[in-house]
PDB file of all heavy atoms in Angstrom:
ATOM      1  N   LEU A 143     -21.601  -2.198 -35.909  1.00 88.00           N
ATOM      2  CA  LEU A 143     -21.223  -1.269 -34.874  1.00 88.00           C
ATOM      3  C   LEU A 143     -19.937  -1.454 -34.408  1.00 88.00           C
ATOM      4  O   LEU A 143     -19.226  -0.478 -33.873  1.00 88.00           O
ATOM      5  CB  LEU A 143     -22.354  -1.260 -33.748  1.00 88.00           C
ATOM      6  CG  LEU A 143     -23.622  -0.504 -33.962  1.00 88.00           C
ATOM      7  CD1 LEU A 143     -24.504  -0.800 -32.828  1.00 88.00           C
ATOM      8  CD2 LEU A 143     -23.284   1.026 -34.058  1.00 88.00           C
ATOM      9  N   ASP A 463      21.013   0.229   5.916  1.00 94.00           N
ATOM     10  CA  ASP A 463      20.967  -1.008   5.071  1.00 94.00           C
ATOM     11  C   ASP A 463      21.577  -0.794   3.711  1.00 94.00           C
ATOM     12  O   ASP A 463      21.997  -1.818   3.077  1.00 94.00           O
ATOM     13  CB  ASP A 463      19.448  -1.457   4.947  1.00 94.00           C
ATOM     14  CG  ASP A 463      18.954  -2.025   6.317  1.00 94.00           C
ATOM     15  OD1 ASP A 463      19.756  -2.104   7.260  1.00 94.00           O
ATOM     16  OD2 ASP A 463      17.637  -2.276   6.345  1.00 94.00           O
ATOM     17  N   ALA A 510       7.860   6.319  30.196  1.00 46.00           N
ATOM     18  CA  ALA A 510       8.851   5.340  30.806  1.00 46.00           C
ATOM     19  C   ALA A 510       8.621   3.996  30.153  1.00 46.00           C
ATOM     20  O   ALA A 510       9.559   3.224  29.979  1.00 46.00           O
ATOM     21  CB  ALA A 510       8.528   5.280  32.377  1.00 46.00           C
ATOM     22  N   ASP A 521      18.523  -5.510  25.044  1.00 92.00           N
ATOM     23  CA  ASP A 521      18.813  -6.786  25.720  1.00 92.00           C
ATOM     24  C   ASP A 521      18.441  -7.968  24.847  1.00 92.00           C
ATOM     25  O   ASP A 521      19.304  -8.947  24.740  1.00 92.00           O
ATOM     26  CB  ASP A 521      17.953  -6.898  26.972  1.00 92.00           C
ATOM     27  CG  ASP A 521      18.399  -5.849  28.057  1.00 92.00           C
ATOM     28  OD1 ASP A 521      19.472  -5.279  27.908  1.00 92.00           O
ATOM     29  OD2 ASP A 521      17.589  -5.473  28.990  1.00 92.00           O
TER      30      ASP A 521
END
Side-chain angles (χ1 to χ4, degrees):
L143 275 175
D463 288 354
D521 292 339

